[in-house]
Amino acid sequence: MFCYHCQEAKKNKACDTTGICGKKAPLSSLHDLLVYVLKGLSFYAVKAREQGIVQPRLDQFTAQALYATVTNVNFDNAEFVRLISEAVQRRNALCKELLAVYQQQDSTFEENPPEEALWQYEAIDEAAFIKLGETLTVPSLEGDNKDYHCLRETLIYGVKGLAALIEHSLVLGYEDKAFYDFIHQALDFSLTEHSLEEALAMNLRCGELGLKAMALLNKANTEIFGHPVPTKIHTDVWDKPAILVSGHDLQDIEELLEQTAGTGIDVYTHGEAVVAHAYPKFKKFFNLVGNYGGAWQDQKNQFAKFNGALLVTTNSLQQAKKTYLEKLFTTGMVGWDAIPHIADRKSKQPKNFAALIEQAKQNPPPTLLTENTITTGYGLQSLLALKDEIASAIQAGAIKRLIVIAGCDGRHKERRYYTQLAESLPEDCVILTCGETKYRFNNLELGEINGIPRLLDAGQSNDFYALITFLQALQKTLGAANLNAMPVSFNIAWYEQKTIVMFLALLDLGVKNVRLGPTLPPFFDEDILTMLTEKYALKGIDTVEADIEAMLAGE
Ligand code: SF4
């Protein structure tokens, strides 16, 4: 086993016996084999597109399968065996269609298909798949050019993050062929060695499309659920049995609220789901009563204290403790064997949450964790409504700097840095945030500047699009040449692959002095770090005091 996908890789190098996230070696091998087959599938998909052959279901499948390999999404070996066999079957069918077209033209492949495009299984056999996957670990793919290998792996993780964003929109009925085109191009690109410049360019393109994928998800969410409005959310508890929902999927939350309305069951949000409270369409549900707990890494403790039924919708699943295992359900691409899974929608009919609701009825109300309020809902429209006030405050010197502290939360104690940073920033700084990093500081009383809150939370990690679009609009109002000429600093807390997309998007925008923490990715070697430092002034985090001083100086 070798996995260094995420910020919590063992000793910031790689998980090599079992994953800190709970991923076991056999599952890691199945992930590696699935990515191997998807690369071969993309070899044909790129050539098929040149011939005008596009299979929409194959494109969606590719994104869904990649998304399943994102950290903390799916731990079910059987699901990966199914995905690998489906990938091979879809790849073979596409190859056959492509060869038929070539035959008509009396031509064939310009280059021999790689082994990723040729491998066939003798039988659908989990043990055999695992054995083959063991030979396909990341180091085994290294080749002679270690630096290229680093950028190729960065691209693969970026594409996995992009695939997650694509899937979040797809479940709402929104998609864009350009994203699938790029996924196939990137996987096909990874099959052969390229120059570092070419590999960096592909990574930047991944960042560019990642921001566009966030824009599409923003369009989907706001067209269906309305534009989020700033909303104060209670974190205390009520006296009814309840369901706790964790993850990004707003449609799951809506259907669950419809099915629980009038049943005496309350619904609470957890983690990234908190932003649901800010969307107008959810305001009519009186049984959406509050947010319980914080970020994903605290779920073992918080799920146990919640007492009621639990639903994980898009990612951030951890191995369940016995104390709440029988109350836990998954849905969508999330899964763990032995945890009941709520099936997908069929023919646009809502999911059936009856088993989850029944489970909730049998349990006592939640145990109180905290009794404060948190505020979210500064989505794009709400941020733009504040733009002129913020511009005036900057021009008058009342706001000295905007500090973007966005991304994921995680287990490492070094993440206390983000709390201390928010506490220690001078009172003339405003924090812009999104994603679960906010749970490090969204309970602080940070006050206001001329009526402008010093903490503006856009919502989920994909709402990074709202922050960037707002900053670009502010840039125009202030007459700044680009984002680097603005009084803004980016301090990105990464954990999994969607934050890699966030980071690549900033590089694509040419943003310099981005801080990436709490540790730099283990898949950047010294040479790549030097390259990114020279080109983009990329930084890790330092002490809070040193970073504040540097950020205020525009570094
Ligand atoms: Fe380790 Fe992260 Fe990979 Fe899990 S996803 S095995 S924690 S590097």
Side-chain angles (χ1 to χ4, degrees):
M1 170 176 183
F2 181 98
C3 181
Y4 61 0
H5 265 67
C6 84
Q7 190 273 325
E8 296 195 354
K10 192 169 97 184
K11 298 185 178 166
N12 203 33
K13 288 196 163 58
C15 295
D16 52 4
T17 49
T18 191
I20 307 281
C21 62
K23 180 159 85 175
K24 303 274 190 291
L27 180 61
S28 188
S29 298
L30 292 171
H31 281 197
D32 290 339
L33 179 57
L34 177 58
V35 172
Y36 175 87
V37 179
L38 291 173
K39 286 179 182 176
L41 179 153
S42 289
F43 170 84
Y44 296 121
V46 167
K47 286 160 184 62
R49 279 164 149 71
E50 288 165 5
Q51 300 299 328
I53 304 168
V54 176
Q55 296 184 356
R57 186 58 204 116
L58 173 136
D59 290 346
Q60 294 168 352
F61 168 81
T62 306
Q64 287 164 334
L66 280 170
Y67 168 41
T69 68
V70 166
T71 303
N72 286 350
V73 172
N74 197 303
F75 297 83
D76 186 352
N77 285 14
E79 175 65 3
F80 285 94
V81 170
R82 186 190 71 73
L83 289 168
I84 290 164
S85 58
E86 184 173 342
V88 170
Q89 288 162 30
R90 288 190 178 279
R91 186 201 66 189
N92 290 349
L94 181 64
C95 174
K96 200 171 160 193
E97 193 176 340
L98 183 58
L99 282 172
V101 173
Y102 281 160
Q103 219 164 23
Q104 284 170 6
Q105 299 168 354
D106 208 15
S107 65
T108 187
F109 298 112
E110 282 175 15
E111 74 237 70
N112 288 332
E115 59 185 25
E116 289 85 343
L118 298 172
W119 174 69
Q120 307 288 347
Y121 53 78
E122 287 170 12
I124 297 174
D125 178 350
E126 181 176 325
F129 285 5
I130 290 168
K131 202 161 170 224
L132 176 59
E134 285 168 358
T135 67
L136 301 171
T137 56
V138 170
S140 73
L141 308 175
E142 187 171 302
D144 296 332
N145 189 341
K146 191 162 184 293
D147 296 338
Y148 168 67
H149 177 71
C150 292
L151 282 185
R152 180 181 56 194
E153 287 309 307
T154 308
L155 177 63
I156 296 294
Y157 306 144
V159 166
K160 288 184 180 199
L162 174 62
L165 292 163
I166 293 170
E167 165 68 7
H168 295 345
S169 290
L170 185 59
V171 294
L172 297 170
Y174 289 66
E175 58 186 327
D176 184 335
K177 183 179 157 290
F179 301 148
Y180 303 122
D181 290 348
F182 177 73
I183 283 186
H184 292 307
Q185 281 164 14
L187 293 181
D188 181 57
F189 178 91
S190 75
L191 287 166
T192 43
E193 194 165 316
H194 299 266
S195 69
L196 290 187
E197 289 70 30
E198 288 169 328
L200 180 61
M202 280 301 270
N203 275 286
L204 298 186
R205 177 87 176 125
C206 185
E208 181 193 351
L209 285 170
L211 201 57
K212 286 186 174 157
M214 292 180 207
L216 183 66
L217 183 51
N218 180 73
K219 178 176 158 70
N221 281 336
T222 53
E223 284 185 356
I224 297 171
F225 304 107
H227 286 275
V229 291
T231 303
K232 266 192 182 172
I233 301 145
H234 292 278
T235 62
D236 56 359
V237 295
W238 297 80
D239 58 357
K240 291 185 188 153
I243 294 170
L244 185 62
V245 190
S246 194
H248 298 73
D249 196 311
L250 296 177
Q251 193 168 4
D252 283 344
I253 300 176
E254 185 190 21
E255 290 172 359
L256 179 62
L257 285 166
E258 276 165 355
Q259 291 173 39
T260 49
T263 62
I265 302 289
D266 284 339
V267 175
Y268 295 76
T269 55
H270 183 268
E272 294 267 42
V274 63
V275 75
H277 297 270
Y279 280 89
K281 202 166 182 190
F282 293 91
K283 303 269 181 203
K284 68 179 181 198
F285 293 108
F286 295 120
N287 63 330
L288 179 63
V289 294
N291 190 66
Y292 190 85
W296 67 273
Q297 74 278 0
D298 296 324
Q299 70 184 238
K300 287 192 179 183
N301 176 33
Q302 294 171 349
F303 282 12
K305 290 188 172 149
F306 185 72
N307 301 327
L310 309 152
L311 176 67
V312 181
T313 67
T314 56
N315 59 333
S316 305
L317 179 64
Q318 288 188 278
Q319 184 160 20
K321 285 168 86 171
K322 279 194 188 130
T323 41
Y324 62 83
L325 179 61
E326 64 178 20
K327 303 172 191 172
L328 180 60
F329 293 73
T330 58
T331 193
M333 289 306 292
V334 183
W336 197 305
D337 51 352
I339 295 178
H341 188 80
I342 290 166
D344 286 342
R345 294 171 192 91
K346 286 206 180 75
S347 314
K348 298 197 175 165
Q349 290 303 304
K351 289 183 183 177
N352 182 352
F353 291 110
L356 177 76
I357 294 166
E358 245 351 273
Q359 177 60 242
K361 285 179 183 166
Q362 294 164 27
N363 289 289
T367 308
L368 182 68
L369 286 178
T370 53
E371 250 181 319
N372 55 354
T373 56
I374 53 179
T375 301
T376 188
Y378 285 95
L380 182 55
Q381 208 174 68
S382 299
L383 285 172
L384 290 176
L386 284 175
K387 177 180 61 95
D388 291 343
E389 280 176 68
I390 291 177
S392 301
I394 289 171
Q395 284 160 335
I399 293 179
K400 182 161 186 190
R401 203 153 187 92
L402 307 172
I403 311 287
V404 178
I405 312 176
C408 313
D409 204 358
R411 276 172 281 226
H412 282 180
K413 61 181 186 313
E414 290 79 8
R415 287 184 189 262
R416 283 198 299 252
Y417 164 92
Y418 298 104
T419 311
Q420 290 163 1
L421 179 64
E423 284 171 335
S424 310
L425 280 168
E427 289 184 0
D428 53 10
C429 290
V430 169
I431 298 171
L432 298 168
T433 191
C434 67
E436 289 197 351
T437 311
K438 63 170 159 273
Y439 285 108
R440 292 279 162 179
F441 45 78
N442 68 352
N443 59 350
L444 301 176
E445 290 292 339
L446 294 175
E448 298 178 342
I449 300 171
N450 298 348
I452 301 161
R454 285 192 60 229
L455 176 61
L456 299 169
D457 173 20
Q460 299 179 337
S461 54
N462 39 281
D463 293 312
F464 190 63
Y465 161 76
L467 298 184
I468 293 294
T469 309
F470 161 69
L471 288 168
Q472 287 171 327
L474 187 63
Q475 175 198 323
K476 279 194 190 145
T477 304
L478 293 173
N482 51 45
L483 288 176
N484 292 317
M486 291 267 291
V488 58
S489 298
F490 290 88
N491 203 322
I492 304 298
W494 83 286
Y495 169 58
E496 41 86 317
Q497 296 78 53
K498 275 190 274 183
T499 346
I500 295 302
V501 177
M502 206 183 262
F503 169 64
L504 294 177
L506 287 172
L507 295 194
D508 180 61
L509 292 167
V511 176
K512 297 200 167 157
N513 294 308
V514 174
R515 281 174 173 73
L516 193 57
T519 51
L520 287 162
F523 41 86
F524 291 169
D525 69 2
E526 280 302 315
D527 291 343
I528 297 301
L529 276 177
T530 303
M531 182 177 97
L532 295 175
T533 306
E534 284 173 357
K535 272 185 185 288
Y536 300 101
L538 169 67
K539 295 167 170 60
I541 60 168
D542 197 340
T543 64
V544 166
E545 296 73 23
D547 281 350
I548 289 177
E549 192 182 333
M551 287 191 288
L552 293 180
E555 294 166 2

